[in-house]
Structure formats: structure tokens, C-alpha cells
Amino acid sequence: MTSFKNPSFKTKFALTTPLYYVNDIPHIGSAYTTMVADVIARWQRLCGNSVLFITGTDEHGQKIQRTAESKGLEPQKHCDRIVSSFVELWDKLNIQYDRFSRTTAPKHEGIVQELFQRVWEKGDIYLAQQQGWYCVACEEFKEKRELLEDGSCPIHTNRQAEWRDEENYFFRLSKYQQALETLYQEKPEFIQPAARRNEVLNFVKQGLQDFSISRLNVSWGFPIPNDPNHTFYVWFDALLGYVTALLEPEQEPTLENALAQWWPINLHLIGKDILRFHAVYWPAMLMSADLPLPKQVFGHGFLTKDGHKMGKSLGNTLDPLELLEKYGSDAVRYYFLKEIELGKDGDFNETRFVNILNADLANDLGNLLNRTLGMLKKYSQSTLPPLTGSDIAEDNPLKQRGIGLSDRVKDFYNNYCFDRACEEILALIRTCNKYIDESAPWKLYQQGKQSEVEQILYLVLESVRLSAYLLSPIIPNLSNKIYQQLGFALDFNQKNFGLKTELQANHFHWGKLPVNQNLPKASPIFAKLELCSN
Ligand code: MSP
């Protein structure tokens, strides 16, 4: 069995969500990326690692400038308003981020300029004419062949791409063709999952073109040093938001300071639509600046609703706040983590949502705990039996499944297979339900077989405890309730909880239920959900 790391030997793990555009309040796509990132961050902390979890907002550029204009607001005022809705949503989703990086933060400008300077000195920036079709919603130039017949881009079908013909500063991406190909070859884990990696390989194989990193007629951005008619292209500025986020609050905003503690970032978690920026442009910019590269870019899939693409113009958006108000954060987190294989596209359907939550959390897990605690009250005055894990025979089916569970689940979490982690845990829970039904402790009690009864109750409650522990990155509130009812005073919402004591690290092992402890009054942990029509 793998032994879990001693908490005093911490590994550092820095991860990011994308910095979200503030053209509108957050949608379910941004909520999805953020909840997955939060689960990864919580998992790393549970394993005793030292974590820096970065999220934030991308606030410059033409798209935001136009949105603010259309509302008659100063861009900064508009950004401030939208940012507060992100903060509110992350709070309601129970997201434990460490840094919220805003690209309009004054300290960010110096970092952008410093990196620009390095790339400039490398000879990788030049002035030239930029001609092409631009999708403002994507903030990206598109090839004519990428556009639909009506001239819109496939992602923003309600908006026409616009023709641009202006002088811009360019970054010599083409110079890094070979270096990038070597990177992908030598570090296959750099882009995940494999399907996304192939997409990037195919794109790069076609030959990389230099890309423009400045704009002439966009005032909402940082000016290019020595040529203030130009502002930075929003993506050049945005990617560097990850670096600025690494600064400690009181630190002087220099590149050196920013990179000292947490660089390189371990994981950029993003949606598949922005893979090119993260897996091609970003490493090339860093190579040009002679900086180490992030360890991994993971591109997740897209969400649909009832099998259809979501969009305001399509009239079928899914409001994350509304969902949270109806069902609570644990339910929402569980559905998206359990139902969708990370990396694949996934669908939201409210009936399926309610069914899954009721089956897994209300029935299989919740009822199991509740009825077992009910029996413990009746047969043992709510006192945990005088047993430890080693008192149970090795061939007991629950012990057998439980004992290797942490290792299997650990592999799933570390490989971002959250759906499989949930399945594996639920399999133990289902085995417990079957075990109770088959061993019928109520009959054994009537026959006066007290120690057999106690053993069954111990086995089930210990399995529920371990399951709650392993599910805690996904459903922390529910895990808290379970732990409380099992007589523990641990709080999974307490940051750096995993680092606290050796005792907590041991909770990964099967057989940690306290001996002879009297338990508090039991109450259902997860109320059955009703399908609400609005
Ligand atoms: N501002 C850039 C990122 C800059 S990072 C330095 C951006 N922002 S975004 O707000 O448009 O996108 C945020 C994330 O939401 C992206 O990861 C995107 O893939 C994701 N999603 C947008 N719609 C989505 C779905 N329908 N489903 C899942 N995720 C989707 O891009």
C-alpha cells in the first residue's frame, strides 16, 4: 500500500483557472472550470501539499471596451461590477482560491512591460501590417476557412468576424516551431488529455505564423512601451495575469519577485477553446523570455444543456447562481464532477441531475449512514464498538474493498478522473448497503449476537467515514456532516486542513473510527431533491 506523504514534507502545487472575461456575469462554463480546479486544489491540500490556487478576471481589450460602451459605463466601473458577481459565485460554490488576479490591477502593468522588454531584447518583436478576420468575442484572428458561410465564427455564431487592416507589433512565434515540437515530444504530459494534445500537434504541424500582440484602435489596455498609440493585445496581457498573481500582496511587482516562489505553475486548467493560447503561444512567449515553462495544460470539454449548445441567443443558458440556490453547492459540484469525464464534453439535464443526486447521495450514502446510526442507537446506545480495523478478518468483503480504496482513488484524483473516483467510492457504499441487507443485524440482535452486530455496524460506519474523507474535495459540506455524526471535530472547509496533524493524514487509511465513542444524535445528511420547474 502506498504510504501517504508525511505532512511535514510538503510539495508545492500551483494551479490556475483561466482569467475570465468580464463582458458578462459568470456562466456555467466558467463555473465548471472553477469547481474542477477547486476539487484539484482541495485534493492536493488533503494530501498535505502546499497549494496556490489562482483564478481571476481578464478585463482589457475590445470586447470589454465595447460592452462597457454599450452600457454607458467607464470600462473600469463596468469591470468592477462584473468582478463582484464572480466573487459572489465563487463564494456560493464554496471555492477556496488563494489569489484573484485582475488584469487591470496596477501591479500587472509592470509585469507585462517587463516581459515585453525581455522578448523585445531577444529580437522577437517587430512592426508589420496585420490583415485578417477578427472575432471580437473570441478576441482572435480567424482564417477565412474557419468562418461559417455567413462570416461568423463557429463559437460565436451570432456575431460577424470583422476585417482588420492595421499596423501591429508581432511576436515571432514561427521562430519557436521547432522548440515547441520538441517540447510536445519530450513532455507528452504537457498537454492533456491525449485528444487535445493531438489537436495541438496537428495545428503546429501546419506551420506556425507570427501573431500580433498590439492593437491600434483599442484604448482599453496597457500602452506598448515607447509607442502609446498601441495597446497590448488582450491575450498577451491576460496570460501574464498568471504571473502577476504569484506576487505576495506587499511585494514589489517585479518579474523576479513574481517568479521566485511558485513558478513554474503545475497546472493550467482551461476549456478546449483556448488551448492554442495556452499550449502554443504561452510557452513560446516564455521561451522567448528565457523562463521555465508550466508543467501542464489540461483542456476540458464543453457543456451542453439537454444535448444542445448553450447560449444567450439560443435562449437556453444555465444560470449557475440559480442552480446553486435551488440545490446547494455540494449537489452542483457532485453532478459536474461525477457525471462528466474530465476532458470530454458533458451535458446538463435537470432530471438526470435530480436522479443522480438522489440515488447516490440521498439514498446510497445518506440513507446508509442514517439507518446504520439508527441501529447503533438501538443496539449499542449510540456508542461506537470497542473495535479497530485490525480486529476485522482480512477476508471481510468491506474491509477488503475499503483497505485499498485510498490508493485507487488517489490514482484517479491524481489523473483527474473524478468520475471514476466517485464511482469507486460509491461502489464501496453500495457494497455496504448489500452487506447490511444480507447480514441482517436486526436478526442477529434478536439472537443475542451482540459482537457480530457491532462488527457489522463498525464495518459500515468505517466505510462511510473513509468515503466521506475521500469525497471531501468534491462535497466538503456533506463530508463535514458525516464526520460530525461520526464523532469527529474536523472541518473540511478549513484551508490547509490536510496539513494539520499526522492524525488527519492517517484518515486515508481504513480503520480510523474512534473506539467506544458516544455519537451525537443522527439526522439525515442530504434531503431528497425535488425537480423544481423554475
Ligand atoms: N479570458 C479568456 C481566458 C484568458 S486566460 C489567461 C477566456 N475567458 S472566457 O471567460 O471566455 O472563458 C472562460 C472559460 O470558460 C474557458 O475555459 C472556456 O473554455 C470555458 N467555457 C465557456 N463556455 C463553455 C461551455 N459551454 N462549457 C464548458 N466550458 C466553457 O477565454
Side-chain angles (χ1 to χ4, degrees):
M1 178 169 191
T2 314
S3 61
F4 286 89
K5 284 198 186 89
N6 181 322
S8 56
F9 296 106
K10 292 185 275 175
T11 307
K12 280 185 178 175
F13 193 93
L15 77 161
T16 68
T17 69
L19 305 183
Y20 302 111
Y21 284 131
V22 290
N23 56 311
D24 208 344
I25 54 169
H27 52 70
I28 196 71
S30 342
Y32 177 58
T33 322
T34 312
M35 62 184 125
V36 174
D38 185 59
V39 170
I40 297 171
R42 284 176 183 259
W43 171 252
Q44 290 291 337
R45 292 194 200 106
L46 198 66
C47 292
N49 295 331
S50 188
V51 174
L52 192 80
F53 172 15
I54 296 165
T55 187
T57 43
D58 181 359
E59 305 183 16
H60 285 135
Q62 187 148 35
K63 168 161 143 155
I64 308 303
Q65 186 177 316
R66 281 191 185 169
T67 312
E69 274 164 14
S70 73
K71 294 187 172 164
L73 287 174
E74 282 298 308
Q76 189 63 62
K77 185 148 215 155
H78 161 77
C79 294
D80 293 349
R81 281 192 189 172
I82 300 283
V83 164
S84 61
S85 60
F86 276 91
V87 171
E88 183 195 350
L89 180 62
W90 300 159
D91 191 42
K92 295 210 160 124
L93 249 183
N94 203 359
I95 305 296
Q96 290 186 328
Y97 56 86
D98 298 290
R99 300 278 159 83
F100 192 104
S101 186
R102 295 185 61 177
T103 57
T104 54
K107 63 180 173 183
H108 184 48
E109 184 167 7
I111 299 288
V112 175
Q113 285 180 349
E114 235 190 291
L115 194 110
F116 177 81
Q117 193 59 32
R118 279 194 182 215
V119 177
W120 176 270
E121 281 163 15
K122 206 55 178 299
D124 286 344
I125 291 174
Y126 62 93
L127 253 182
Q129 198 67 14
Q130 167 80 70
Q131 287 186 323
W133 292 101
Y134 194 70
C135 172
V136 176
C138 290
E139 291 280 17
E140 187 178 13
F141 277 100
K142 305 278 171 177
E143 296 293 329
K144 182 92 180 92
R145 63 182 150 78
E146 288 178 284
L147 299 178
L148 303 178
E149 256 176 34
D150 66 354
S152 63
C153 98
I155 304 175
H156 301 98
T157 46
N158 55 343
R159 263 166 279 171
Q160 302 275 312
E162 299 170 19
W163 179 251
R164 291 290 145 82
D165 186 356
E166 61 178 42
E167 195 172 56
N168 285 167
Y169 285 95
F170 279 73
F171 171 68
R172 271 184 225 285
L173 180 66
S174 54
K175 182 174 152 189
Y176 294 92
Q177 172 93 29
Q178 187 56 54
L180 286 169
E181 279 175 340
T182 308
L183 164 72
Y184 306 144
Q185 200 105 66
E186 287 179 354
K187 303 217 157 81
E189 75 289 353
F190 179 68
I191 307 166
Q192 285 296 313
R196 296 279 120 73
R197 180 169 178 266
N198 290 337
E199 272 169 37
V200 174
L201 293 184
N202 287 333
F203 170 72
V204 173
K205 213 162 55 195
Q206 292 165 29
L208 291 173
Q209 315 245 323
D210 298 347
F211 70 96
S212 59
I213 58 159
S214 75
R215 295 292 180 265
L216 260 186
N217 296 309
V218 181
S219 56
W220 187 233
F222 294 132
I224 297 275
N226 305 320
D227 199 348
N229 287 334
H230 290 253
T231 51
F232 276 102
Y233 168 44
V234 59
W235 268 101
F236 191 89
D237 155 357
L239 288 161
L240 283 161
Y242 295 140
V243 173
T244 304
L246 302 175
L247 286 163
E248 296 297 326
E250 303 309 323
Q251 246 176 344
E252 203 197 328
T254 64
L255 206 48
E256 193 188 352
N257 281 342
L259 300 173
Q261 241 215 313
W262 287 95
W263 191 260
I265 283 177
N266 296 73
L267 171 68
H268 289 304
L269 182 70
I270 55 165
K272 63 181 178 181
D273 54 329
I274 52 175
L275 194 59
R276 211 175 276 181
F277 295 100
H278 286 81
V280 184
Y281 294 11
W282 182 223
M285 285 162 59
L286 293 166
M287 284 173 183
S288 170
D290 289 320
L291 295 176
L293 306 182
K295 303 255 190 268
Q296 189 169 71
V297 175
F298 192 109
H300 67 65
F302 256 45
L303 303 176
T304 52
K305 188 176 170 210
D306 305 321
H308 300 289
K309 189 178 161 181
M310 274 184 268
K312 272 201 179 151
S313 52
L314 301 167
N316 70 335
T317 50
L318 178 62
D319 178 4
L321 267 184
E322 200 180 301
L323 205 59
L324 285 164
E325 242 128 62
K326 276 204 247 176
Y327 301 114
S329 62
D330 276 11
V332 174
R333 295 165 67 103
Y334 186 78
Y335 178 85
F336 285 103
L337 272 293
K338 152 93 193 297
E339 254 310 272
I340 300 169
E341 182 183 336
L342 192 73
K344 296 261 170 74
D345 290 345
D347 188 52
F348 177 85
N349 171 274
E350 199 153 350
T351 307
R352 202 165 60 245
F353 178 94
V354 167
N355 289 343
I356 286 171
L357 269 296
N358 283 344
D360 291 4
L361 301 188
N363 292 342
D364 287 347
L365 181 60
N367 278 353
L368 174 69
L369 176 65
N370 208 243
R371 73 170 169 148
T372 313
L373 288 176
M375 286 190 263
L376 190 75
K377 183 172 177 211
K378 206 160 157 194
Y379 308 142
S380 291
Q381 296 77 48
S382 293
T383 301
L384 287 173
L387 293 169
T388 65
S390 51
D391 295 321
I392 310 289
E394 293 304 315
D395 62 353
N396 178 283
L398 292 190
K399 182 172 177 177
Q400 270 185 345
R401 224 176 214 292
I403 221 149
L405 185 71
S406 283
D407 281 348
R408 296 192 297 276
V409 168
K410 182 184 176 224
D411 280 345
F412 289 140
Y413 268 109
N414 286 340
N415 291 300
Y416 310 135
C417 304
F418 308 108
D419 54 330
R420 298 183 68 187
C422 291
E423 272 307 331
E424 190 68 34
I425 297 165
L426 258 285
L428 173 65
I429 294 300
R430 291 189 192 111
T431 312
C432 287
N433 275 308
K434 211 166 139 231
Y435 187 73
I436 290 208
D437 292 342
E438 285 170 359
S439 55
W442 45 93
K443 281 192 195 149
L444 298 172
Y445 180 73
Q446 276 169 3
Q447 293 160 7
K449 296 180 175 162
Q450 181 68 17
S451 64
E452 282 181 48
V453 171
E454 286 178 0
Q455 178 162 313
I456 295 165
L457 300 184
Y458 177 86
L459 276 156
V460 173
L461 291 175
E462 171 56 13
S463 300
V464 172
R465 181 207 64 76
L466 183 62
S467 302
Y469 193 76
L470 294 172
L471 283 171
S472 67
I474 301 174
I475 47 168
N477 295 339
L478 217 53
S479 293
N480 267 349
K481 284 191 190 169
I482 296 173
Y483 253 62
Q484 275 157 17
Q485 299 207 14
L486 292 176
F488 293 98
L490 302 185
D491 181 1
F492 292 103
N493 283 318
Q494 197 188 327
K495 252 204 210 166
N496 293 333
F497 150 85
L499 298 176
K500 279 277 142 88
T501 62
E502 182 66 22
L503 170 88
Q504 287 167 14
N506 279 340
H507 281 223
F508 273 115
H509 299 301
W510 197 86
K512 290 291 151 198
L513 217 51
V515 176
N516 283 332
Q517 178 145 337
N518 193 258
L519 297 187
K521 192 172 177 303
S523 60
I525 51 159
F526 190 87
K528 240 182 155 141
L529 302 180
E530 300 285 344
L531 191 60
C532 320
S533 50
N534 55 42

